[in-house]
Amino acid sequence: MDLLREMRQRRLFFDGGTGSLLQAQGLKAGELPEVWSITRPEVCVKLHRDYLEAGADIIKTNTFGANGLKFKGRENANGAEWGASTAGHSGAERGASTAGRTGAGQESSTAGHPGAEQTASTTPPAAARPADSYSVDEIVTAAMKNARRAVAEAGHGYIALDLGPTGKLLKPLGDLDFEDAVELYKEVVRIGRREGADLVLIETMSDSYELKAAVLAAKEAGEGLPVFATVVFDGKGKLLTGGNVESTVALLEGLRVDALGINCGLGPVQMKGIVEELLKVSSLPVIVNPNAGLPRSENGVTLYDIDGDRFAQVMEEIARMGACFLGGCCGTTPEHIQKTVGRCKDVPLVWPQARKRTVISSYSQAVCIEGKTVIIGERINPTGKSKFKQALRDHNLEYILKEGVTQQDNGAQVLDVNVGLPEIDEPSMMEEVVKELQAIIDLPLQIDTSNPRAMERALRVYNGKALINSVNGKAEVMDEIFPLVARYGGAVVALCLDESGIPETAEGRIQVAKKIIREAARYGIGTEDLIFDGLCMTVSSDSKGALTTLETLRRIRDELGCKSVLGVSNISFGLPQREIINASFFTMAMECGLSAAIVNPNSEAMMRAYYSFNALMDMDPQCGEYIRIYGGQAGSLGKTLPRNPGAGSAGAAGGGLGAGSVGAAGGGLGTGNAGTTGAGSASGQSTAAFEIASRLSAAIERGLREEAHRAVGELLETREPLDVINTEMIPALDRVGKGFEAGTIFLPQLLMSAEAAKAAFEVIKDRMASSGQVQEKKGTIILATVKGDIHDIGKNIVKVLLENYSYEVIDLGRDVPPKTIVETAMERKVRLVGLSALMTTTVPSMEETIRLLREQLPGTLVMVGGAVLTPEYARTIGADAYCRDAMASVNYAEEVFAGT
């Protein structure tokens, strides 16, 4: 039976853990489990068969880490670094042209193919070959062969081609290009499809951007294979890079995966709350594949604390909540799956209902367009803005970023992005601006362009589900834009005009809206993803223009049951004191059901209208937001603009960015700012120097590299380098770190802040070198990802932060043998070693490293971190400290080296 049909008829069951069971069969510390598909195929076949006989319907191939970074891939077989091969190419164009194409790797490698045994026999015996000498094609082909054999022997089962994370962060946070990540996954998908996979399972993802790359690869190279995706949430329901349940669901539903869910990281008990959230917002079937509880180590063996009976009991509770797929991850065994199947197979399957929610998202948050009007900041748009136009011509991205940050600080919930000028390359500029904005701002973006190429390039690299501006009732426009929405996801602004122009009446505009709804349905786009623009015509030329627009808004809400949007300021074009008209019309539009407004959030008149309307219409409980913003103001209104506490900076400790903006404890990057930044307000400091210090602190907190570079250079004209470091830069980093620990900012912002600080440190370093000064290091720390593990995301993040806190970091890289770590620690007399591991199978390498350090350097302390670790697990393998994130590593280092 077809998988997509069968999964609607009954609950299906995945298999369980792989690596932990291979360890029990003799997989050594640091050995790559994927290689066993070739060297120990009988073990792999039996593992699959045991799960199928236990009742599993879907088995996962032994390809979790099979990619061109770990094995010889199609494009890097000659040693070329990923990242260089595709630089300068448009991913949107390459994605379309390569979909379904046969990869070069499968043409050049025949190992494992039917009829190719004579070729394979000329190579050395499998066991004699180094692990990294295998090609991706060999690994995936062997894994598929083993899975097919198990299915044949068991007489049933679907084969899921298993794709895990690459182990790298994508640019700009890491060094892997987005399109290179897509290509890495495409290579595996092409081979898996060729070898008979029934579906693609993308699992254990902790970064929404890498998740999107994998989904696009599966869609473009899978030729119709079903695509399932599961992610790793922490106990607070967050991805490593900050995404939450709602933003992750929005992204995956927009990309049209067939099922989504959660795996790894947590046991079934800890997952229940997150599963409940998933079921509330997802219109797709939900997958739940937990670990067998929490891990610990006994005599070098990783054990888990939930047996098969308890696991099955909790999984039955999850089944009754509404999960459609159940299975296991690390530590689970055929026994866990057998008992889960026994308890859950007869629990009635409840297929999810379409939620019909109008949702857009960034990498870290979702904005549901429902109830209170959503504010879309209009300032990143060259129309009528000479300075902005010049910034585009000069490629002054810092100016654009400041516009975005200022709007966020002043209350925008979404940012419109329009970079269209006749004299620039709009597709390239749009792609670049989207990448830069989403690196430092956590608001969803509205991609605003009439250029389909620019639209596609932006949508492809956008890390979330975008708002798309726009489509209209013209057939050619719908034919260009709707396929992009179907491919990349998004909610669409739909203008109520067509080939006949803008209808003069509300009835005419509603008829155009109905035509757009019918056409969108042909592409599988529901009304929840259409936001209709009733169109504002200036009242200076059409005295009935406002009335027509307001009637259109009411009918969009009441007759069509749809959402609406307006570019509000169009109503006053050609009139004096436009804000008076704009604010009044804005209030009237909200009363008529306006769902989203494209306005200037820096306008005090518009924001006063917004906050007061919400308070009066019972959309601001106990007038809390209104009081927070205006409660501290005395005298006349509008002297300052409120800082948005939900902004993705360090919260109240951060600095504003625009002229006249004010922060509770931070200055800004413009002029006329007020606030303090630690020692920057010391007695005797000039107003000018204080403003520069405020700019430096704000630039570091918001991740603005060029501004930090400029501000520190100016500050060094009047202050000593070490004084600037200790009184401005370190406090700014501390505020960001506290925001990260409190969950008000997320990993991308933390890293971009560190990059801004690094840019400022370079200026200071040069100044100190020219004057003969030397900045003393607090101490030396070794960092390494342990033997057998190529995932170095966590280690690299810790390195960046430690270096900003004046530590010397010896980075030994990834897949580092215990002996190398110990010898380096002895040679450099290091007091603190940091070890990272992502996979259960590599924790024994971590334990072995700690044991050797204890024997040969008993005074050296060890901090550990990684997705599979817990405080208890870290204690059982002998670590001195478990650091759950990068800031925890910095805090522990500060404790270790305090007073030295």
Side-chain angles (χ1 to χ4, degrees):
M1 184 181 290
D2 173 73
L3 171 63
L4 294 180
R5 187 166 65 251
E6 184 170 6
M7 73 188 202
R8 286 178 171 270
Q9 298 176 2
R10 68 180 183 91
R11 179 172 286 102
L12 298 180
F13 296 89
F14 276 93
D15 60 8
T18 296
S20 48
L21 295 183
L22 294 184
Q23 281 181 313
Q25 293 293 320
L27 183 74
K28 297 186 178 67
E31 193 175 359
L32 301 181
E34 295 84 4
V35 174
W36 272 39
S37 294
I38 296 174
T39 61
R40 301 287 300 278
E42 71 287 348
V43 174
C44 297
V45 171
K46 184 178 186 304
L47 176 64
H48 291 319
R49 192 175 62 245
D50 287 348
Y51 276 122
L52 291 168
E53 292 173 353
D57 300 292
I58 305 170
I59 55 172
K60 302 183 287 282
T61 57
N62 184 24
T63 54
F64 179 82
N67 60 61
L69 295 174
K70 184 185 289 188
F71 300 99
K72 290 194 298 184
R74 181 171 57 85
E75 292 193 34
N76 71 345
N78 295 321
E81 288 291 329
W82 282 98
S85 61
T86 59
H89 293 272
S90 163
E93 293 156 2
R94 287 177 52 228
S97 65
T98 59
R101 187 197 316 163
T102 301
Q106 60 201 59
E107 294 166 352
S108 62
S109 173
T110 56
H113 290 206
E117 288 80 1
Q118 67 275 21
T119 303
S121 65
T122 63
T123 61
R129 292 173 60 183
D132 59 4
S133 71
Y134 292 102
S135 70
V136 173
D137 194 289
E138 288 176 286
I139 293 292
V140 177
T141 298
M144 284 296 308
K145 180 180 178 181
N146 295 335
R148 289 199 312 270
R149 179 180 161 191
V151 167
E153 291 176 359
H156 76 281
Y158 296 105
I159 299 173
L161 178 69
D162 193 16
L163 304 182
T166 62
K168 284 182 171 286
L169 277 175
L170 275 60
K171 293 178 181 177
L173 307 180
D175 58 2
L176 183 62
D177 185 80
F178 179 81
E179 287 302 330
D180 283 344
V182 174
E183 288 300 321
L184 283 165
Y185 287 120
K186 274 188 179 180
E187 179 180 19
V188 181
V189 174
R190 290 187 187 107
I191 301 165
R193 185 200 71 227
R194 181 194 72 202
E195 298 298 324
D198 297 301
L199 69 148
V200 177
L201 174 66
I202 301 161
E203 67 164 342
T204 323
M205 289 290 176
S206 58
D207 175 8
S208 60
Y209 209 26
E210 184 175 39
L211 173 63
K212 179 172 182 175
V215 173
L216 288 178
K219 291 281 188 176
E220 292 169 2
E223 293 190 353
L225 284 179
V227 179
F228 293 2
T230 60
V231 300
V232 181
F233 289 113
D234 64 17
K236 296 179 180 179
K238 296 286 188 182
L239 301 180
L240 171 69
T241 50
N244 58 27
V245 168
E246 199 169 6
S247 67
T248 303
V249 170
L251 170 69
L252 291 172
E253 287 189 345
L255 292 171
R256 300 192 179 186
V257 301
D258 298 289
L260 56 81
I262 180 173
N263 80 291
C264 205
L266 302 169
V269 175
Q270 295 81 13
M271 278 189 184
K272 282 181 65 178
I274 299 170
V275 172
E276 185 176 14
E277 285 188 63
L278 280 167
L279 292 167
K280 281 181 181 177
V281 298
S282 176
S283 301
L284 296 174
V286 169
I287 304 165
V288 183
N289 288 339
N291 290 346
L294 300 177
R296 68 184 187 279
S297 180
E298 290 186 9
N299 301 318
V301 178
T302 300
L303 302 175
Y304 288 80
D305 64 1
I306 291 186
D307 62 17
D309 289 322
R310 174 60 176 155
F311 186 88
Q313 177 188 348
V314 182
M315 293 301 278
E316 182 183 356
E317 296 171 11
I318 290 173
R320 295 188 183 281
M321 291 167 61
C324 294
F325 295 86
L326 301 177
C329 200
C330 300
T332 56
T333 66
E335 180 188 2
H336 288 81
I337 301 305
Q338 182 180 39
K339 292 187 174 181
T340 296
V341 172
R343 290 193 68 139
C344 301
K345 61 182 171 59
D346 294 326
V347 174
L349 175 68
V350 179
W351 193 254
Q353 299 299 309
R355 301 300 176 189
K356 295 292 184 180
R357 301 167 74 246
T358 302
V359 180
I360 56 176
S361 69
S362 67
Y363 72 86
S364 71
Q365 63 172 293
V367 171
C368 184
I369 301 177
E370 184 69 47
K372 195 157 59 173
T373 303
V374 170
I375 298 295
I376 303 172
E378 69 180 11
R379 299 292 300 168
I380 303 178
N381 189 319
T383 304
K385 303 179 186 72
S386 57
K387 289 184 178 179
F388 193 94
K389 290 178 181 178
Q390 194 57 46
L392 289 175
R393 295 184 189 106
D394 296 340
H395 199 258
N396 183 359
L397 297 184
E398 197 83 0
Y399 181 92
I400 299 172
L401 296 181
K402 287 183 189 178
E403 285 284 3
V405 170
T406 301
Q407 291 182 94
Q408 179 177 28
D409 284 349
N410 292 333
Q413 296 150 291
V414 180
L415 296 180
D416 182 73
V417 183
N418 185 316
V419 296
L421 275 185
E423 60 264 45
I424 70 169
D425 180 352
E426 185 183 356
S428 294
M429 178 63 80
M430 178 64 89
E431 179 180 345
E432 187 173 9
V433 169
V434 166
K435 285 180 176 178
E436 291 290 329
L437 280 169
Q438 68 185 10
I440 68 166
I441 294 175
D442 63 348
L443 299 182
L445 301 183
Q446 172 173 275
I447 311 301
D448 183 359
T449 178
S450 59
N451 184 321
R453 287 184 61 244
M455 180 71 75
E456 177 159 20
R457 288 181 65 169
L459 289 175
R460 187 170 180 86
V461 301
Y462 179 62
N463 190 0
K465 181 185 177 186
L467 185 54
I468 298 169
N469 190 1
S470 59
V471 74
N472 58 50
K474 296 178 181 178
E476 62 176 335
V477 175
M478 291 188 283
D479 289 345
E480 286 179 329
I481 300 303
F482 282 151
L484 299 181
V485 180
R487 184 175 183 182
Y488 297 110
V492 192
V493 172
L495 309 182
C496 293
L497 62 88
D498 59 13
E499 290 86 352
S500 300
I502 300 174
E504 293 184 1
T505 66
E507 173 62 25
R509 296 177 193 184
I510 292 298
Q511 291 306 314
V512 173
K514 289 179 178 179
K515 179 169 67 171
I516 293 172
I517 290 172
R518 289 192 297 270
E519 185 64 16
R522 293 181 55 242
Y523 293 89
I525 300 168
T527 54
E528 68 274 14
D529 282 330
L530 296 173
I531 307 174
F532 289 97
D533 189 334
L535 302 174
C536 280
M537 309 306 292
T538 177
V539 292
S540 65
S541 62
D542 178 3
S543 60
K544 296 185 183 297
L547 296 176
T548 301
T549 300
L550 294 173
E551 182 185 350
T552 304
L553 291 179
R554 284 193 295 268
R555 294 183 63 177
I556 289 170
R557 177 191 63 191
D558 299 338
E559 289 183 28
L560 303 183
C562 292
K563 303 300 188 295
S564 59
V565 63
L566 286 178
V568 176
S569 62
N570 293 340
I571 200 72
S572 64
F573 187 77
L575 293 175
Q577 298 294 326
R578 295 180 63 188
E579 278 195 339
I580 299 173
I581 294 289
N582 292 345
S584 296
F585 179 67
F586 184 25
T587 302
M588 297 168 72
M590 287 189 285
E591 171 63 21
C592 291
L594 181 65
S595 307
I598 304 172
V599 301
N600 177 9
N602 307 337
S603 164
E604 186 65 17
M606 297 299 283
M607 299 311 287
R608 280 204 306 266
Y610 178 68
Y611 292 120
S612 58
F613 179 86
N614 290 337
L616 291 167
M617 297 300 291
D618 194 25
M619 295 181 180
D620 182 8
Q622 288 77 51
C623 301
E625 191 172 39
Y626 182 88
I627 292 170
R628 176 187 63 77
I629 293 165
Y630 298 110
Q633 293 189 9
S636 62
L637 289 173
K639 294 300 183 185
T640 61
L641 287 168
R643 181 181 177 80
N644 179 4
S649 69
L657 284 158
S661 66
V662 96
L669 296 180
T671 59
N673 300 290
T676 60
T677 55
S681 59
S683 176
Q685 183 177 349
S686 71
T687 301
F690 171 63
E691 289 181 356
I692 296 168
S694 298
R695 283 171 47 213
L696 174 60
S697 296
I700 289 173
E701 291 179 42
R702 301 311 295 258
L704 297 170
R705 298 182 295 273
E706 294 180 18
E707 180 64 26
H709 186 278
R710 280 194 302 271
V712 79
E714 295 175 31
L715 203 56
L716 289 174
E717 297 299 322
T718 58
R719 293 173 62 179
E720 290 297 314
L722 292 178
D723 179 43
V724 173
I725 292 172
N726 294 326
T727 62
E728 304 297 343
M729 296 178 63
I730 294 299
L733 287 170
D734 284 342
R735 287 192 291 272
V736 174
K738 289 175 182 176
F740 179 72
E741 291 176 329
T744 59
I745 70 168
F746 305 105
L747 181 64
Q749 296 153 299
L750 181 73
L751 289 179
M752 296 312 293
S753 172
E755 287 298 314
K758 185 177 179 181
F761 275 123
E762 290 301 317
V763 177
I764 290 177
K765 190 185 302 181
D766 292 343
R767 185 66 59 91
M768 293 177 72
S770 64
S771 63
Q773 292 178 277
V774 177
Q775 182 189 1
E776 292 187 9
K777 297 293 184 183
K778 294 179 181 177
T780 301
I781 301 171
I782 287 175
L783 295 180
T785 301
V786 298
K787 179 65 178 174
D789 205 318
I790 67 162
H791 302 86
D792 59 358
I793 291 175
K795 172 186 66 64
N796 292 343
I797 296 167
V798 172
K799 177 187 176 183
V800 170
L801 293 190
L802 286 173
E803 288 178 337
N804 274 336
Y805 276 82
S806 300
Y807 290 97
E808 180 185 359
V809 176
I810 302 171
D811 183 359
L812 296 181
R814 54 187 184 172
D815 192 20
V816 185
K819 182 179 178 183
T820 301
I821 297 170
V822 173
E823 289 176 349
T824 305
M826 293 177 67
E827 179 184 341
R828 298 294 299 271
K829 297 181 173 59
V830 171
R831 288 184 57 192
L832 179 61
V833 173
L835 302 177
S836 175
L838 176 76
M839 301 167 63
T840 304
T841 54
T842 58
V843 174
S845 293
M846 181 179 280
E847 185 173 12
E848 173 65 10
T849 302
I850 294 172
R851 186 186 64 78
L852 289 176
L853 284 168
R854 292 283 180 261
E855 290 177 358
Q856 300 184 39
L857 285 170
T860 297
L861 299 175
V862 182
M863 59 181 179
V864 298
V868 296
L869 294 173
T870 64
E872 173 64 17
Y873 200 3
R875 186 190 64 77
T876 61
I877 63 175
D880 296 288
Y882 162 73
C883 299
R884 67 182 182 86
D885 55 41
M887 280 310 303
S889 301
V890 171
N891 294 337
Y892 183 66
E894 296 283 83
E895 291 179 20
V896 171
F897 291 96
T900 60

